[in-house]
Amino acid sequence: MRRLGLAAAAVLMAGALVSCGGTEDTASGDGKSDSTSESVPAAESSKASAAFGDVKITKAGVEDHQVWGDGAYVVHYEITNTGADAANYFAEIRLVDKDGDHLGQTGVTADRLGPGKSSTGDIGVLEAEIQNGKLSDIVAAKVGTVDRTKPE
């Protein structure tokens, strides 16, 4: 299990967060993301917009997983630091149903990620993270807000 950085922001933004399987790697993924139709809220700055592009969902769906169990909804992600300095990341992952309605959210983190480096991992969605339906209603995961901060 990865230790969750930015705990205060994570708790406020996504409730109970669990993340595992993270590795630091300079190799990039396949570049496919379910987040391409998601946009950054207008109130966010261009700096935040750049951070939004640093997070990609590489795969999401029901699978048998050694940590999350059989038939778990698992989101695989990649966070790549495109900035000039090391950064901590918190990314909200929004879960939606077949109508595109918001069911709930979870979150992922990457701590002290160096410039040009990537962190990949996966996260299983927990029943407690679904407020507007049930786990079986999830058909997609999309990148929501992304916070990129300087490590202390």
Side-chain angles (χ1 to χ4, degrees):
M1 292 268 182
R2 288 182 52 92
R3 180 182 157 174
L4 297 179
L6 305 170
V11 170
L12 290 173
M13 294 180 70
L17 300 177
V18 182
S19 179
C20 90
T23 59
E24 191 164 294
D25 184 11
T26 57
S28 63
D30 62 11
K32 294 179 183 173
S33 172
D34 289 340
S35 65
T36 54
S37 64
E38 195 75 0
S39 62
V40 176
E44 295 196 15
S45 69
S46 62
K47 189 174 185 181
S49 296
F52 179 81
D54 289 357
V55 180
K56 291 184 173 68
I57 295 172
T58 58
K59 178 179 157 186
V62 176
E63 64 182 74
D64 294 342
H65 192 276
Q66 71 178 27
V67 174
W68 308 112
D70 292 345
Y73 192 90
V74 180
V75 179
H76 298 262
Y77 63 89
E78 179 178 51
I79 302 172
T80 302
N81 183 353
T82 60
D85 299 309
N88 293 332
Y89 285 84
F90 169 78
E92 174 192 51
I93 305 298
R94 296 179 183 167
L95 308 161
V96 298
D97 66 12
K98 65 182 168 103
D99 298 321
D101 293 331
H102 177 84
L103 295 172
Q105 66 277 334
T106 191
V108 297
T109 64
D111 296 327
R112 299 184 183 278
L113 192 58
K117 301 286 185 175
S118 293
S119 176
T120 60
D122 57 52
I123 186 166
V125 178
L126 304 174
E127 188 73 46
E129 295 167 323
I130 305 299
Q131 299 91 26
N132 303 317
K134 53 190 181 219
L135 280 171
S136 61
D137 294 335
I138 302 170
V139 298
K142 300 178 180 286
V143 176
T145 57
V146 175
D147 290 327
R148 178 172 60 192
T149 59
K150 232 180 207 185
E152 295 178 9

